[in-house]
Amino acid sequence: MADSHSFQYWQDKAKGLTFEGRAFINGQWYRAAEHFDCVSPIDGAVIAQVSHCNDADVEQTVIAARAAFEAGVWSQLAPAKRKAILLKFADLIEAHTEELALTESLDMGKPIGDCLAVDIPATLRALRWTAEAVDKIYDEIAPTGPNELGMVTREAVGVVSAIVPWNFPMIMAAWKIAPALAMGNSVILKPSEKSPLTAIKLAGLALEAGIPAGVFNVLPGFGHTTGKALALHMDVDTLVFTGSTAIAKQLMIYAGQSNMKRVWTEAGGKSPNVVFADAPDLDAAAQSAAEGICYNQGEVCTAGSRLLVEESIADEFMAKVREAVAKWRPGHPLDPATNVGAIVDETQLNRVLSYIDSGLEQGAKLTVGGKKAEPVSGGQFVEPAVFEQVTPDMRIFKEEIFGPVLSVVRFSDEAEALKIANDTEYGLAAAVWTSNLSRAHRFARGLRAGSVWVNQYDGGDMTAPFGGYKQSGNGRDKSLHAFDKYSEIKATWIKL
Ligand code: NAD
Ligand code: MN
């Protein structure tokens, strides 16, 4: 038998894999009236038929979720009990690591090595960290006068719907369902139509872990149908979303048109990665700049898509960046040696290619990659691209591409760098490389972004909040701050 790290091993394992495509509603598998094809971007194969949930399906799910919440089968459990079940859920996910990793790779095209090294561990960490936290949080007593008792308590909001994207399907789901469930809410998860399979798999594991019927539901379907029905529903209390800024805005409109449900969004980004001449290690900065745009095929909300380089080192530094990016080569996602997988689908690949065309048309110079690749026939692949001689007004520098396309602008001083870095409608993340302590702090303060990295790119953990300024969204995932989205705060005044 091939060892667990070989290309052959994963290819053999993929052949034996079957996928559940049904929805999971009120503790039961449910086959919707309509289906859609789940296509692997690796080779264009249809790998599953997935239920497409309609308005009536959404209706029965919300009713079940509400009933479970009212019945208290989950919402009224002691936090320690919910914790125990969520930890069991995590253990079951871990026990299914290979199957989940393989499913993710086949469904959305990311390299199997990344699924194993990042997607599964980060999903487990989100569930375990959050579960462990929930029986250690205390409510407050207000500092009132002697004749009153003022209690400030957190309560679950009720029915939470989570609508998530396809780039990190399990992690994005876990960042939301872990705190939502830990707080005692009922949850309806709608995965992206481009990556529904692991979410459906999670539903079965949640059932096995002992999460009661109606408390965790998974409704696959499209955004403009299933997602819209959830967003317009009068009995969904909170909508949490990760995805594009355009859809985030639409969800806020739906909330206003319906029951004013709370809407929390993590949306797009166009993050600046700013390298000063006094960066402590230009080789590390170049490697990091390459990884920051190539990792996960550039399909990362915090991708370092705008590289700002101080003029005095730009020639030397860009030679290193070009060399580093050229090492990120599209390959078969099931080959553990592959570092760039397939783009999620043909639509997204065409979007990336059209941005590359726009860069060329607007006069930027393509210095690395940028061509459609075909390591597997019928697959959606592109070579990571570097554009130089970019000006800040070009579309490739302003708009989120969500693919491996790096746009480089040179700057001459700190003030100019900060101005360019902040000149964006987004504010998700930013990085600065410098050895000057004062400048590091000054620049970090000046950046209008939810995450700022100094002398690294893309650091993060469950211990710190994650989310955006400006049109990158509102609210935060991860850390104790995440509980804010899944709870109402009640003030109770007792006359003594
Ligand atoms: P998308 O906005 O198209 O879709 C996201 C989800 O919303 C999907 O489940 C989709 O079905 C659903 N949806 C689409 N239209 C809808 C509608 N009218 N009503 C209700 N739901 C609807 O985004 P995507 O293409 O899946 O993901 C890429 C985007 O996600 C990028 O813009 C990226 O920056 C962003 N993203 C952000 C973060 C973050 O944390 N800030 C993380 C990952 C991805
Ligand atoms: Mn898919």
Side-chain angles (χ1 to χ4, degrees):
M1 188 170 143
D3 88 88
S4 74
H5 297 293
S6 75
F7 186 15
Q8 192 61 49
Y9 175 86
W10 294 108
Q11 285 180 305
D12 290 346
K13 212 173 158 68
K15 282 187 201 116
L17 208 58
T18 53
F19 305 103
E20 177 61 69
R22 288 175 293 176
F24 186 76
I25 302 174
N26 202 16
Q28 307 210 311
W29 296 107
Y30 170 81
R31 193 182 302 281
E34 287 179 26
H35 300 89
F36 63 94
D37 286 344
C38 182
V39 177
S40 174
I42 298 175
D43 55 6
V46 175
I47 55 174
Q49 297 287 323
V50 176
S51 278
H52 177 193
C53 295
N54 62 21
D55 288 8
D57 301 332
V58 166
E59 184 62 30
Q60 61 148 325
T61 309
V62 177
I63 288 171
R66 175 65 61 193
F69 184 75
E70 299 290 340
V73 288
W74 181 254
S75 57
Q76 296 300 318
L77 288 185
K81 292 229 167 94
R82 289 198 298 264
K83 168 176 109 172
I85 293 171
L86 290 172
L87 291 176
K88 183 156 183 225
F89 185 25
D91 290 346
L92 287 167
I93 293 171
E94 187 164 35
H96 291 81
T97 292
E98 291 198 352
E99 185 184 341
L100 285 164
L102 192 52
T103 301
E104 203 75 288
S105 182
L106 292 167
D107 194 356
M108 68 71 69
K110 71 169 70 194
I112 186 77
D114 291 353
C115 298
L116 292 166
V118 175
D119 294 68
I120 301 281
T123 299
L124 294 173
R125 171 96 169 128
L127 275 163
R128 288 175 174 153
W129 191 93
T130 309
E132 285 292 355
V134 77
D135 65 349
K136 297 168 191 70
I137 304 169
Y138 292 75
D139 288 327
E140 299 164 13
I141 302 292
T144 59
N147 300 325
E148 279 177 314
L149 174 62
M151 301 191 300
V152 183
T153 53
R154 278 178 188 268
E155 296 182 348
V157 290
V159 176
V160 173
S161 179
I163 297 181
V164 297
W166 46 262
N167 60 339
F168 293 95
M170 277 183 286
I171 302 176
M172 295 301 108
W175 285 0
K176 309 213 187 289
I177 66 180
L181 289 172
M183 277 301 302
N185 296 283
S186 290
V187 175
I188 303 170
L189 171 65
K190 194 207 83 65
S192 168
E193 59 276 21
K194 300 183 182 191
S195 61
L197 298 179
T198 49
I200 295 172
K201 178 79 194 167
L202 291 186
L205 299 178
L207 179 71
E208 207 179 323
I211 295 178
V215 172
F216 180 57
N217 310 275
V218 177
L219 295 188
F222 292 88
H224 63 277
T225 51
T226 321
K228 182 177 176 183
L230 286 163
L232 279 171
H233 202 285
M234 292 300 289
D235 205 31
V236 169
D237 299 295
T238 288
L239 185 59
V240 285
F241 170 81
T242 296
S244 62
T245 291
I247 300 301
K249 290 181 182 182
Q250 191 58 51
L251 298 183
M252 297 168 85
I253 294 171
Y254 293 151
Q257 287 170 340
S258 54
N259 63 339
M260 229 169 112
K261 57 180 66 64
R262 284 88 180 94
V263 179
W264 302 97
T265 68
E266 308 258 14
K270 192 74 184 175
S271 300
N273 183 13
V274 182
V275 181
F276 284 96
D278 64 358
D281 181 344
L282 286 182
D283 291 305
Q287 295 296 333
S288 190
E291 182 170 1
I293 192 63
C294 297
Y295 180 73
N296 210 49
Q297 302 73 242
E299 298 161 331
V300 182
C301 50
T302 54
S305 50
R306 296 188 297 142
L307 178 60
L308 277 56
V309 186
E310 188 161 4
E311 183 66 59
S312 60
I313 51 147
D315 288 340
E316 175 198 353
F317 183 67
M318 284 314 301
K320 295 179 194 290
V321 171
R322 284 178 222 124
E323 197 185 314
V325 171
K327 292 194 180 119
W328 290 79
R329 311 287 314 158
H332 198 299
L334 295 190
D335 183 346
T338 294
N339 58 8
V340 179
I343 298 291
V344 71
D345 67 3
E346 192 179 357
T347 309
Q348 184 66 15
L349 177 67
N350 286 336
R351 177 183 158 90
V352 173
L353 293 173
S354 80
Y355 270 107
I356 291 171
D357 289 343
S358 100
L360 292 169
E361 278 157 26
Q362 290 194 301
K365 186 174 172 203
L366 184 63
T367 58
V368 180
K371 289 181 194 62
K372 192 175 174 351
E374 208 170 12
V376 188
S377 111
Q380 312 298 332
F381 296 88
V382 63
E383 298 169 351
V386 177
F387 274 109
E388 297 178 55
Q389 297 173 25
V390 174
T391 52
D393 57 302
M394 289 181 187
R395 286 184 58 214
I396 51 170
F397 196 75
K398 292 176 89 81
E399 298 172 22
E400 182 177 51
I401 299 173
F402 224 57
V405 182
L406 182 65
S407 296
V408 187
V409 160
R410 299 178 178 205
F411 66 84
S412 52
D413 61 31
E414 189 180 318
E416 186 192 8
L418 188 62
K419 186 164 175 293
I420 298 171
N422 282 335
D423 184 18
T424 168
E425 67 200 32
Y426 296 113
L428 194 55
V432 55
W433 298 74
T434 177
S435 301
N436 180 322
L437 182 68
S438 300
R439 171 147 71 197
H441 282 285
R442 193 165 57 230
F443 208 84
R445 280 187 184 177
L447 287 163
R448 305 283 299 156
S451 293
V452 171
W453 299 300
V454 178
N455 297 333
Q456 63 167 329
Y457 200 87
D458 218 10
D461 184 53
M462 280 304 294
T463 54
F466 177 84
Y469 281 31
K470 300 195 270 183
Q471 292 186 46
S472 288
N474 64 322
R476 295 293 181 267
D477 282 334
K478 303 164 78 179
S479 82
L480 296 181
H481 292 282
F483 287 113
D484 294 348
K485 301 192 208 181
Y486 306 100
S487 44
E488 290 285 9
I489 292 177
K490 179 178 280 178
T492 304
W493 290 90
I494 297 173
K495 187 89 191 145
L496 301 181

